[in-house]
Amino acid sequence: MKRFLLLLTIIYLPVQAQESSIIKIETEASALVLKVGKNKKLYQTYLGTKLNNSAEYEAVSKENTENFVVNDGNPLIDLRHAAYPTFGTDNLFEPAIRITHNDGNPSLELEYQSHTVQKTDDNTAEIIIKLKDPEYPVFVNLHYKTFYKENVIESWTEILHNEKKPVMLYNYASSALHLDADQYWLTQFYSDVVEEVRMEESQLTRGIKVIDSKLGVRTNMFASPSFFLSLNSKSGENTGEVIAGTIAWSGNFKYTFDIDNNNELRIISGINEFASEYNLEPGKTFKTPVFIYTFSNHGKGQASRNLHAWARKYGLKDGEKPRLTLLNNWETTFFDFDENKLANMFTDAKTLGVDMFLLDDGWFGNKYPRSGSTSGLGDWQATKSKLPNGIGFLMEQAQKTNVKFGIWIEPEMINEKTELYEKHPDWVLSLPNREKSIYRTQLVLDLCNPQVQDFVFKVVDDIMQTKSGVAFFKWDCNRMMTSAYSTYLKNQQSHLFIEYTKGLYKVLDRIKTKYPNLPMMLCAGGGGRVDYGMLNYFTEFWASDNTDPFDRVFIQWGYSNFYPALATCNHVTSMGNQSIKFKTDVAMMGKLGFDIHVGGLKPNELQFCQQAVSNYKSLSPVIWQGDLYRLISPYEESRAVLMYVSQDKSKSVVFSYTLHPLTDPNYSLVRLEGLDPLKKYKVEEINIMPEAKNTFEASGNVFSGDFLMKVGVKVSSVKQESSVVLEITAVD
Ligand code: DGJ
C-alpha cells in the first residue's frame, strides 16, 4: 500500500527547451539557480539562502549574466559561470569536463537541450538537465537531487556519446559550483594514521588550491574527502554563510578551489582524474559519483546537522536503526588467543552488559597461520591450532552466553605467504618488471577482475553460511595502492583506480542484497577510508587506531562535522593512562564499545562501566538520532563541550571534556542550545564513579530551557583529563 501511494506521488514534469529559462533547485532554506543563456549555454546564477519571492531569481540572473563584463566586449571569450565548464573553446579556468573526439578535436561545447523535474516524494526531487555538443554526438546530463527538509543537494553527471569509436575523457567532475564573495575560508581535514581528521582553516588566495587523494584505496589516509567553505569571513558554529561538501566515492577524489581574476570562486568536485583518463565506449554511460553539499547561513553547526539528518535518512546504511555495543579483542590479545580465551571474553561482554563480542584479526590461515601480520591474509579458514572447532563453534558458544558474535575480515588484501597467493599470483596488483611493493607485508587484490570480486564476496558469504552466521563484520583495509598494475585490465591501466572502486562497490552491492540487515564496520587501519560511498554499505566506521581519549576528542570532533554520532565507533581501551571514567565518557559521544581486559578492572571500575553501558543504552536514542550542538571547541579552549538534543526536545545529553588546562582555567558558564525555551528541564550528572561526588554542583535542579540557553550552566570540571556527563530531561 505504502509503495502504491509512493508511486502515485511521483510527478514527472518534462520541460521544454527555452531560451533564458531559469531552473530553480531549491530546498527549504537554500537555492541553486541555473539559467539558459541566449546562446543556449547553461549558467549558474545563484547559490545561497532561498529568496522569499522566487520570481526575484530572474533579477539575480539578469544581474549575474547580462551585466557581467565579457572581456571588454569580445564575444568569443565567455567568462561567465558555466554550470558545467568545458575545455577547448572559450573557458579560461578549470574545466569540469575535458574530452577528445574521434577526429582528434580536443574541445567540447555544451548546449541546453531540455530538463525534467521529478518529485519522488514529499521531501525529495530530482532535476535532470540534458546538454549536448552542437557539433558532435556527445551528451552530458546534470543530475541534482534535493532533500528539502535536510537542505542537502546531491549532484552528479552522466557522460555519453554516439561517436564511432571510444572518446577519451580527461576530466569528468561530478559538480561545478560558483561563488562570489569578498573572502573565502576553507576548512580542510588533514589526516594520517592515528591522527585522523585534524581541522585546519585558512583563507583562500588567488589561484588554485587542491585537496585530493592519489592513494587508490584507503584514499583518505592523508586527507578527508570533506570540506567547509565559508563566505566573506570565517564562519562560527552558529554564524556565517558556509557550504559543507563531501563526496560518495571511495577511490581517488579531488576538490579544486579556483579563484579567478574577478575574485570569484569555482569549486570543482569529483573523482581525481590524475592518471585516470577514461576511454568511453560509444553507447556506454560514464556516471560520476555523487557530490553532496549543504548551504547554511547559520554556520558550521547547522551545516553539520543538515548532513547528519540527511545521512541518517539517506546516506548511511540503516541510519535510523539501532547499533550494537560491543567488546572487541584486538588491543587486549592482538594475534594471541584460543578458544578458551575467547570463551572468557564472551562472558566478559556479558558482564559489561554490551550486545556483542567482536573477534578481530588472527583467526584464520592453516598452511600459513595468521600468527602475525606477515602471513595468512587471504586464507579465510579458521586456524585449527587456535580454533580446532572452527568459527561455527564460536558462534554457538557466543549464543550460549547470550551475546552476539561479530568477526574481522580484510578481504581486499593478501599476504604473499598464503595458499591464495600460491594459487593466484596474478590476482594481485603489481607492476611487471619491478619489485613488488609491499606495505604491512601485504598486497592489494585486483578487484577490477570479476573472479577476484567473486572471491571477496565468497569470504563474507561463506562465513554467513556457517551455522547461524555472524551478527556483524569489521571490514578492514590496511594499505594504499603503490606500484599498482592490473593484469586483468591489460592495456587500459588508466582505468585502474576507477574500476577498482567500482569492483569493490559491486561486491558490496551483492553483500547488501543478500544480507540486507547485516551491520558492518568500516575500517582502514583506523579511519583511512571514511566516505559516503562506503557508508552506503556500512553502518559505522572505526575512527582511529588512536584510542587515547585526549587525542580521541579531537578525532571525534573532526568526524562530527560530517558524520552522525551513531556511525562513529569509539572504544574504551588501555591506551592512555587516564581514568576509566574519562575514557568511557569520551567513547560515549559516538557509538560505544570496549577493547579492554575486563578481568583487569578494579571492582569500582567494573561497576562504573556497567552503569555507563546501562546509561548509554537509555541515552543512545538521543545520541544516535538527536541533533548535535558543538558548544566549546577543543581547538579554542582547553576543553570540549557538546550536546545532543532529541527531535522533540524532551531529552538531551551534554558531554564536557577537560583536556590540558594550564592553571586554574576559570571556565565560563556554557550556554546550552537546541532546547525548548518554554520547557522545564531537570539536569542530572550521570556516569559518576561509585562513591565519588558530583562535579556538577547543580545536579538534580530544574531550570527552564530559556535559562539554560541564555544564562547557561557550569558544566566543566577544572581537573586535567576529566569529564562530566549531564542528562537533561523535560519535566513538564
Ligand atoms: C587495523 C585496525 O584499525 C585495527 O583496529 C585492527 O583491526 C587491526 N587492523 C588488525 O590487523
Side-chain angles (χ1 to χ4, degrees):
M1 181 65 180
K2 210 165 158 197
R3 208 155 156 224
F4 177 68
L5 282 177
L6 188 73
L7 283 177
L8 276 183
T9 61
I10 291 175
I11 307 167
Y12 187 73
L13 295 173
V15 181
Q16 298 280 318
Q18 252 175 29
E19 277 191 359
S20 300
S21 69
I22 296 239
I23 303 168
K24 285 172 282 180
I25 298 161
E26 289 179 313
T27 66
E28 191 170 32
S30 67
L32 170 71
V33 182
L34 308 177
K35 180 179 176 175
V36 183
K38 292 206 173 77
N39 56 2
K40 291 198 178 167
K41 289 192 184 168
L42 184 70
Y43 298 101
Q44 180 199 311
T45 56
Y46 185 73
L47 170 58
T49 305
K50 192 168 161 177
L51 299 184
N52 290 339
N53 176 4
S54 71
E56 290 191 310
Y57 289 124
E58 188 66 58
V60 182
S61 301
K62 218 172 160 108
E63 184 65 24
N64 281 354
T65 54
E66 287 173 20
N67 295 345
F68 203 91
V69 183
V70 182
N71 200 37
D72 296 336
N74 182 346
L76 287 176
I77 309 285
D78 186 356
L79 292 174
R80 288 175 295 183
H81 298 171
Y84 197 66
T86 59
F87 170 81
T89 56
D90 54 6
N91 173 24
L92 296 178
F93 302 101
E94 275 297 290
I97 183 166
R98 178 162 88 88
I99 73 169
T100 297
H101 299 280
N102 283 185
D103 62 1
N105 186 331
S107 70
L108 184 70
E109 289 270 288
L110 289 175
E111 285 186 355
Y112 170 90
Q113 298 277 293
S114 66
H115 74 279
T116 54
V117 181
Q118 190 173 347
K119 198 166 170 5
T120 25
D121 58 35
D122 280 353
N123 196 47
T124 58
E126 189 173 333
I127 294 111
I128 305 172
I129 305 172
K130 297 197 162 176
L131 309 173
K132 183 186 174 298
D133 189 311
E135 306 301 335
Y136 290 87
V138 174
F139 309 87
V140 169
N141 302 331
L142 304 180
H143 290 248
Y144 302 86
K145 185 164 185 187
T146 54
F147 299 85
Y148 191 79
K149 282 206 290 293
E150 295 78 15
N151 288 304
V152 166
I153 298 178
E154 290 181 359
S155 123
W156 70 97
T157 301
E158 286 171 342
I159 304 165
L160 53 159
H161 71 93
N162 289 327
E163 296 198 12
K164 298 238 155 20
K165 287 186 289 179
V167 154
M168 191 60 103
L169 305 185
Y170 295 96
N171 291 63
Y172 33 78
S174 299
S175 145
L177 291 176
H178 301 268
L179 293 153
D180 191 1
D182 289 338
Q183 295 178 5
Y184 307 98
W185 287 85
L186 176 70
T187 305
Q188 63 192 89
F189 297 81
Y190 67 90
S191 287
D192 207 339
V193 179
V194 305
E195 211 197 336
E196 286 85 349
V197 287
R198 296 297 169 126
M199 290 171 73
E200 191 171 55
E201 186 164 24
S202 49
Q203 188 177 354
L204 290 177
T205 53
R206 299 288 170 108
I208 287 182
K209 160 91 183 179
V210 169
I211 297 178
D212 73 343
S213 171
K214 301 184 182 76
L215 304 183
V217 66
R218 199 207 215 186
T219 49
N220 47 63
M221 190 163 83
F222 300 140
S224 176
S226 306
F227 66 87
F228 285 125
L229 194 282
S230 304
L231 302 177
N232 296 310
S233 59
K234 283 185 184 182
S235 58
E237 277 296 309
N238 294 318
T239 55
E241 293 190 323
V242 58
I243 289 168
T246 187
I247 194 160
W249 183 244
S250 315
N252 293 344
F253 65 88
K254 180 173 172 186
Y255 296 116
T256 305
F257 303 87
D258 182 11
I259 299 187
D260 68 17
N261 55 318
N262 286 319
N263 197 42
E264 293 178 359
L265 173 66
R266 179 180 286 187
I267 306 176
I268 311 268
S269 310
I271 294 178
N272 192 351
E273 73 283 357
F274 176 79
S276 295
E277 54 274 17
Y278 201 91
N279 227 1
L280 184 64
E281 299 281 341
K284 289 257 159 58
T285 300
F286 184 92
K287 187 177 170 204
T288 72
V290 174
F291 173 60
I292 302 143
Y293 64 101
T294 182
F295 178 88
S296 154
N297 59 9
H298 287 92
K300 293 177 182 133
Q302 186 59 56
S304 296
R305 285 188 290 280
N306 290 349
L307 287 175
H308 295 169
W310 165 85
R312 285 191 298 256
K313 211 160 167 197
Y314 306 101
L316 167 70
K317 182 169 190 298
D318 296 336
E320 294 182 306
K321 292 200 183 145
R323 299 294 188 258
L324 297 166
T325 53
L326 60 87
L327 175 67
N328 185 200
N329 68 313
W330 177 242
E331 291 195 25
T332 39
T333 66
F334 292 105
F335 297 95
D336 178 20
F337 55 82
D338 57 21
E339 269 173 7
N340 272 345
K341 247 192 202 175
L342 295 182
N344 287 337
M345 296 187 89
F346 296 161
T347 313
D348 289 344
K350 191 78 208 144
T351 307
L352 276 176
V354 295
D355 305 307
M356 182 172 65
F357 174 77
L358 170 61
L359 174 59
D360 216 286
D361 194 355
W363 59 268
F364 46 86
N366 280 302
K367 183 168 177 192
Y368 304 104
R370 180 80 169 165
S371 45
S373 63
T374 56
S375 59
L377 192 62
D379 295 345
W380 296 101
Q381 297 78 36
T383 309
K384 291 208 172 72
S385 54
K386 269 187 195 176
L387 306 171
N389 298 298
I391 54 165
F393 176 73
L394 297 177
M395 291 168 189
E396 285 168 351
Q397 290 298 104
Q399 219 162 25
K400 276 190 196 142
T401 324
N402 210 9
V403 290
K404 294 188 190 301
F405 180 69
I407 205 159
W408 179 98
I409 52 174
E410 189 181 359
E412 296 158 79
M413 304 285 160
I414 179 171
N415 287 131
E416 282 178 291
K417 260 174 98 178
T418 46
E419 293 181 72
L420 181 67
Y421 186 71
E422 286 172 351
K423 215 162 139 196
H424 297 291
D426 56 324
W427 277 12
V428 300
L429 294 176
S430 170
L431 281 169
N433 308 319
R434 294 202 190 278
E435 282 289 296
K436 284 201 177 56
S437 174
I438 304 283
Y439 182 92
R440 211 201 185 209
T441 50
Q442 64 193 54
L443 292 159
V444 184
L445 284 174
D446 181 6
L447 268 171
C448 308
N449 182 341
Q451 280 182 306
V452 177
Q453 293 168 16
D454 287 345
F455 169 82
V456 173
F457 170 73
K458 213 165 159 310
V459 172
V460 171
D461 199 32
D462 284 351
I463 295 172
M464 289 308 287
Q465 294 305 320
T466 305
K467 293 273 167 68
S468 54
V470 292
F472 187 87
F473 278 96
K474 174 179 177 183
W475 180 305
D476 208 343
C477 168
N478 280 295
R479 67 161 295 174
M480 71 311 281
M481 285 182 198
T482 48
S483 302
Y485 178 95
S486 159
T487 313
Y488 177 80
L489 286 179
K490 301 196 178 85
N491 61 356
Q492 290 215 308
Q493 294 302 316
S494 66
H495 290 201
L496 197 162
F497 293 131
I498 293 175
E499 293 307 324
Y500 181 95
T501 308
K502 284 190 182 164
L504 174 62
Y505 289 159
K506 275 189 198 156
V507 173
L508 291 168
D509 270 328
R510 283 169 73 182
I511 295 170
K512 194 172 169 179
T513 306
K514 187 155 181 190
Y515 304 106
N517 300 317
L518 179 63
M520 299 207 287
M521 182 203 285
L522 173 62
C523 175
R529 191 197 233 178
V530 183
D531 64 74
Y532 279 113
M534 289 305 263
L535 289 174
N536 178 30
Y537 304 101
F538 288 82
T539 45
E540 54 223 84
F541 61 86
W542 180 228
S544 175
D545 274 357
N546 185 345
T547 48
D548 180 304
F550 174 86
D551 292 337
R552 201 70 190 195
V553 166
F554 290 88
I555 293 169
Q556 293 168 192
W557 192 269
Y559 282 119
S560 81
N561 288 289
F562 290 87
Y563 302 99
L566 81 165
T568 315
C569 299
N570 309 322
H571 295 175
V572 178
T573 75
S574 55
M575 201 181 281
N577 55 6
Q578 302 88 345
S579 69
I580 195 83
K581 170 174 164 57
F582 186 61
K583 291 178 174 183
T584 311
D585 289 355
V586 170
M588 268 175 69
M589 88 173 244
K591 205 216 85 172
L592 175 68
F594 291 82
D595 193 344
I596 40 166
H597 177 37
V598 176
L601 293 172
K602 294 187 190 121
N604 67 338
E605 291 178 332
L606 178 61
Q607 203 185 325
F608 169 82
C609 290
Q610 289 166 325
Q611 185 58 53
V613 170
S614 148
N615 290 341
Y616 184 74
K617 289 199 165 172
S618 77
L619 288 173
S620 55
V622 187
I623 298 169
W624 294 344
Q625 299 298 329
D627 279 331
L628 167 70
Y629 293 86
R630 289 179 295 253
L631 306 178
I632 309 271
S633 164
Y635 287 88
E636 280 159 20
E637 291 194 21
S638 59
R639 61 175 171 164
V641 186
L642 61 125
M643 66 189 286
Y644 298 97
V645 184
S646 66
Q647 299 299 328
D648 67 358
K649 297 182 186 296
S650 67
K651 194 91 180 169
S652 168
V653 52
V654 176
F655 294 100
S656 171
Y657 307 120
T658 301
L659 301 171
H660 287 174
L662 285 176
T663 50
D664 177 2
N666 196 16
Y667 290 132
S668 55
L669 300 181
V670 177
R671 290 181 186 159
L672 305 189
E673 292 177 26
L675 300 172
D676 181 344
L678 301 176
K679 278 192 165 65
K680 291 253 186 315
Y681 292 95
K682 186 172 181 190
V683 183
E684 275 176 299
E685 184 176 353
I686 57 164
N687 278 16
I688 301 171
M689 284 297 284
E691 281 133 44
K693 285 214 287 266
N694 296 337
T695 304
F696 180 64
E697 284 167 13
S699 184
N701 289 2
V702 173
F703 302 89
S704 69
D706 186 48
F707 178 92
L708 291 170
M709 293 194 291
K710 285 184 182 155
V711 179
V713 279
K714 214 175 165 185
V715 296
S716 302
S717 130
V718 293
K719 216 174 124 232
Q720 178 161 314
E721 296 189 317
S722 63
S723 47
V724 173
V725 183
L726 303 179
E727 178 175 356
I728 300 184
T729 313
V731 291
D732 282 352

